[in-house]
Amino acid sequence: MKLAAVTLSTLLLVSAPCLAQETEDKESFAQSSHFLKQQVRSSNSVGRAIRTVLARYPENTYELVNIALDTYPEKYRQIVSAAVSTQPAYVDDVIKLALEKKLAPATELVTLAINAEPSYAEYATEAACKFSPDQFTEIVRTAVNMEPDSADQIAKTLAKSYPNKTIDVLVTTIQEVPLVGKYVVDALLALFPEDSTESESMIIISVEQLAKHPEAVERLVQLAEQRGINQDLVSASAKRGGLSDVQASVLVGKYYKNQ
């Protein structure tokens, strides 16, 4: 009996601080929720209210966006766009919260985030891929189409975070925005030593994917020659990409003159 009493006393002592903290958290949430609702009523817009409170309290971005998405889930587009445009450094948190609450697919959230702040396209894409890895390719496809001028930076950021998916990033990006293909290749090749197998694989695959884009494929063949990649491999890749035997021979012969 005495042992039971001691155990109960111990449990009460341990649980008391926990209960106090839980009560404090609930009160804080209620106060923040009330404050946000007041801002929404005064501005007649969830988006404007979010911009106002986040500009004033940037350190509370996570908490306020969390409350906003719980309180106005049907307004998630306004909330995500306003939060990212006002505090772009928190794009990771904003996308994470929206995905955890299952308010929209990752591709839509990336679209909203990039529209809100194009200069953070690579970070929005990285966040979406991190929290929705099953949609990796679709996210990359959406992002580079949304912001093709940043395709090389998007690809480079993703390759650093997901080195085992570098080839997937390369192929997806080139297929979607072939006109920036050579810049994407240069950006990704810079991540690997020139004589590495990854570097060679990327060049060979890129030749195939960009075979019908003269400016890009010529750059790739030039790189292949400079790095000592066998010309037969390059020629075969160009043919797989749709060039005829004659076209592939002319292309490769332009740079492999001494072989």
Side-chain angles (χ1 to χ4, degrees):
M1 189 68 178
K2 183 182 292 185
L3 178 61
V6 171
T7 302
L8 179 59
S9 299
T10 303
L11 287 173
L12 289 172
L13 287 172
V14 171
S15 61
C18 296
L19 290 172
Q21 182 62 50
E22 184 178 345
T23 301
E24 184 180 333
D25 290 344
K26 287 181 178 178
E27 290 176 354
S28 176
F29 180 89
Q31 291 172 356
S32 297
S33 181
H34 180 67
F35 170 68
L36 182 61
K37 288 177 181 177
Q38 284 183 319
Q39 293 295 318
V40 171
R41 282 195 294 271
S42 65
S43 63
N44 294 315
S45 166
V46 174
R48 282 198 293 272
I50 289 295
R51 289 188 183 90
T52 299
V53 297
L54 294 190
R56 192 180 305 171
Y57 306 105
E59 70 279 4
N60 297 118
T61 295
Y62 184 93
E63 175 192 4
L64 291 168
V65 171
N66 186 33
I67 291 170
L69 290 173
D70 280 341
T71 308
Y72 306 100
E74 74 285 357
K75 302 289 186 182
Y76 72 87
R77 293 183 182 88
Q78 289 185 40
I79 295 169
V80 170
S81 297
V84 173
S85 64
T86 308
Q87 298 296 338
Y90 286 86
V91 66
D92 193 286
D93 289 332
V94 174
I95 289 178
K96 176 185 177 183
L97 285 167
L99 285 172
E100 285 179 344
K101 298 175 191 302
K102 299 180 180 178
L103 296 175
T107 50
E108 182 182 354
L109 295 174
V110 164
T111 298
L112 291 171
I114 293 177
N115 271 330
E117 185 50 71
S119 65
Y120 274 69
E122 62 195 276
Y123 304 111
T125 307
E126 183 182 22
C129 287
K130 177 167 62 176
F131 300 118
S132 289
D134 57 317
Q135 297 182 53
F136 190 94
T137 300
E138 291 80 4
I139 293 167
V140 176
R141 184 178 293 121
T142 299
V144 297
N145 273 301
M146 282 291 301
E147 193 62 21
D149 290 344
S150 299
D152 56 338
Q153 285 304 311
I154 292 172
K156 192 172 183 178
T157 297
L158 291 177
K160 285 181 179 178
S161 298
Y162 306 95
N164 62 321
K165 288 184 174 288
T166 299
I167 296 297
D168 292 338
V169 172
L170 174 67
V171 171
T172 300
T173 304
I174 289 173
Q175 287 177 339
E176 294 301 316
V177 283
L179 292 179
V180 299
K182 68 174 184 176
Y183 304 110
V184 173
V185 171
D186 281 343
L188 295 186
L189 284 175
L191 300 176
F192 304 101
E194 290 191 8
D195 59 349
S196 67
T197 55
E198 292 94 340
S199 175
E200 180 174 326
S201 296
M202 285 173 58
I203 291 175
I204 295 299
I205 291 173
S206 300
V207 168
E208 180 179 346
Q209 296 296 325
L210 290 172
K212 293 189 176 181
H213 298 276
E215 183 181 356
V217 77
E218 288 201 11
R219 168 64 175 149
L220 288 162
V221 175
Q222 182 182 32
L223 284 171
E225 191 279 331
Q226 291 172 353
R227 298 189 178 197
I229 298 174
N230 186 287
Q231 70 179 77
D232 291 338
L233 293 176
V234 178
S235 180
S237 182
K239 292 174 187 177
R240 287 195 300 273
L243 296 190
S244 67
D245 289 351
V246 173
Q247 289 173 323
S249 179
V250 170
L251 173 65
V252 173
K254 186 174 180 179
Y255 295 97
Y256 284 80
K257 296 178 180 179
N258 299 322
Q259 297 186 37

